[in-house]
Each structure stands twice: as structure tokens, then as C-alpha cells.
């Protein structure tokens, strides 16, 4: 309904945000192809209005979707585009998310050292900005990474931190 209403009044920024949100819903459902279509719609409206914040987030969302589709070259390209915009806007939260996604990409490519560096950078930025949810998500990613690296102690420690946070917000 919101999309219809914003189209009636021609609010392109809100239309871009709604397509982004619909794309996120598709991503959560694992329908990455539909998500990418929605992200492309969002990008179209965002470019029309030069809505940089939205463009950066959509690039990041596309990077995530492509990483889940194992298209790591496109995923990396979109993380780089998102990072460029995030730096222009001095958006530390998006920068932290970019590093988290880059860490996941590198873990998938079994480049564990680079993955750990990216994830540790994401964790540091999330701590600096006080973003506890993203900290927990990054702790989870680090826990999985350390498990794959056969670092049992570090894996358990990071997974414990993630679990504590998710329990504190009744997410599990």
C-alpha cells in the first residue's frame, strides 16, 4: 500500500526505500534473484533523486545477495561501490557492514586471514558506533570463521558473545 501511495504523490526517495525494503524481505526468504530485481528498482529511483545514502545501502544489499549466489566477483564489486559512497558520507555503520560482507566473501573463498581482518575491522567499527546488533552478527561470523579454521576456543568465545546478545533481545 505504501508503494502505491508514494507512487501517487511521486515521492521517489520513499519509493526507492520501499523497493529496498522489499528486496531485503526477498533476501531474508532466500529469493536472491527477486531481491536483486527490487534492489535494481530502488537504484533507479535513487539515481533519479541522487539519494546517495540509499544508493550505498542498495549496493551493499546487492553485494550480500550476490555473495549468497556465490557470484563473488559481483559481490566484491558492489561492496567496493558501497564503500566508496559510505566514505563520502562518513557513514561508519555502512562501512562496518561492508567489512562484514567482505569478510563473509573471503571466508567463502577460504581466504581466512583476509576474512578475519575484515571481520575484526567490522567488529571494531560496530563497537565504536555502539551498534550491538551488528556486533553480535559479526561475532557470529567470526565464530563460524574460527570453527572453519579449527580454532575451537576462539570459535566458542565469539559464538557465546553472539548468543548472549541474541538472547538479550529475545531473538532466539
Amino acid at each position: 500500500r505504501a508503494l502505491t501511495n508514494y507512487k501517487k504523490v511521486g515521492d521517489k526517495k520513499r519509493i526507492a526505500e520501499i523497493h529496498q525494503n522489499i528486496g531485503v524481505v526477498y533476501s531474508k526468504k532466500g529469493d536472491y534473484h527477486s531481491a536483486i530485481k527490487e534492489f535494481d528498482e530502488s537504484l533507479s529511483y535513487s539515481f533519479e533523486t541522487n539519494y546517495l545514502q540509499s544508493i550505498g545501502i542498495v549496493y551493499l544489499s546487492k553485494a550480500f545477495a550476490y555473495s549468497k549466489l556465490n557470484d563473488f566477483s559481483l559481490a566484491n564489486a558492489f561492496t567496493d561501490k558501497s564503500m566508496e559512497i559510505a566514505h563520502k558520507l562518513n557513514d561508519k555503520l555502512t562501512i562496518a557492514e561492508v567489512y562484514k560482507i567482505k569478510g563473509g566473501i573471503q571466508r567463502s573463498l577460504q581466504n581466512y586471514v583476509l576474512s578475519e581482518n575484515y571481520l575484526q575491522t567490522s567488529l571494531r567499527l560496530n563497537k565504536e558506533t555502539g551498534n550491538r546488533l551488528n556486533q553480535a552478527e559479526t561475532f557470529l561470523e567470526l565464530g563460524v570463521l574460527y570453527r572453519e579454521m579449527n580454532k575451537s576456543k576462539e570459535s566458542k568465545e565469539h559464538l557465546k558473545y553472539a548468543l548472549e546478545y541474541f538472547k538479550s533481545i529475545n531473538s532466539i
Side-chain angles (χ1 to χ4, degrees), residues 13 26 42 53 63 73 90 106 111 127 129 132 141 148-149 155 160 165 171:
K13 283 186 175 183
Y26 278 124
S42 180
Q53 183 73 32
S73 107
N90 195 28
Q106 292 305 314
N111 189 343
K127 285 180 178 178
T129 57
R132 292 189 60 221
E141 289 289 323
E148 289 181 15
M149 295 171 71
S155 176
K160 180 182 140 218
Y165 177 75
S171 175

Side-chain angles (χ1 to χ4, degrees), residues 114-126:
L114 190 53
S115 176
E116 181 180 23
N117 288 340
Y118 283 142
L119 291 170
Q120 288 291 351
T121 300
S122 176
L123 186 59
R124 180 181 53 78
L125 290 170
N126 283 314

Side-chain angles (χ1 to χ4, degrees), residues 2 6 18 25 33 36 44 48 52 77 79 107 110 122 132 143:
Y6 286 127
I18 291 169
V25 170
H33 294 288
I36 290 166
S44 177
E48 280 185 49
L52 285 182
T79 57
R107 182 174 56 81
Q110 297 183 338
S122 176
R132 292 189 60 221

Side-chain angles (χ1 to χ4, degrees), residues 26-158:
Y26 278 124
S27 282
K28 297 258 185 214
K29 291 173 63 177
D31 185 352
Y32 300 111
H33 294 288
S34 295
I36 290 166
K37 288 178 186 173
E38 290 296 329
F39 297 145
D40 287 339
E41 280 291 315
S42 180
L43 271 179
S44 177
Y45 285 102
S46 297
F47 279 125
E48 280 185 49
T49 58
N50 198 31
Y51 190 11
L52 285 182
Q53 183 73 32
S54 180
I55 294 168
I57 290 169
V58 174
Y59 282 154
L60 185 60
S61 297
K62 286 185 75 160
F64 175 78
Y66 281 116
S67 74
K68 292 300 185 182
L69 293 170
N70 295 324
D71 190 336
F72 300 118
S73 107
L74 269 178
N76 270 319
F78 281 110
T79 57
D80 291 344
K81 286 175 163 272
S82 181
M83 182 71 86
E84 183 181 324
I85 291 172
H87 276 296
K88 282 182 188 175
L89 299 172
N90 195 28
D91 181 353
K92 287 186 179 183
L93 292 176
T94 300
I95 293 168
E97 275 296 298
V98 169
Y99 280 120
K100 185 175 79 174
I101 291 173
K102 281 184 164 289
I105 292 167
Q106 292 305 314
R107 182 174 56 81
S108 295
L109 296 171
Q110 297 183 338
N111 189 343
Y112 297 134
V113 172
L114 190 53
S115 176
E116 181 180 23
N117 288 340
Y118 283 142
L119 291 170
Q120 288 291 351
T121 300
S122 176
L123 186 59
R124 180 181 53 78
L125 290 170
N126 283 314
K127 285 180 178 178
E128 286 176 10
T129 57
N131 190 329
R132 292 189 60 221
L133 174 59
N134 285 357
Q135 283 179 50
E137 289 174 349
T138 306
F139 276 128
L140 178 61
E141 289 289 323
L142 280 163
V144 171
L145 171 68
Y146 289 136
R147 184 179 62 218
E148 289 181 15
M149 295 171 71
N150 296 316
K151 293 183 174 184
S152 179
K153 180 182 174 195
E154 292 90 340
S155 176
K156 287 178 185 175
E157 180 181 313
H158 285 79

Side-chain angles (χ1 to χ4, degrees), residues 13-26:
K13 283 186 175 183
R14 298 296 164 250
I15 295 169
E17 290 172 349
I18 291 169
H19 280 292
Q20 161 66 17
N21 291 339
I22 293 169
V24 169
V25 170
Y26 278 124

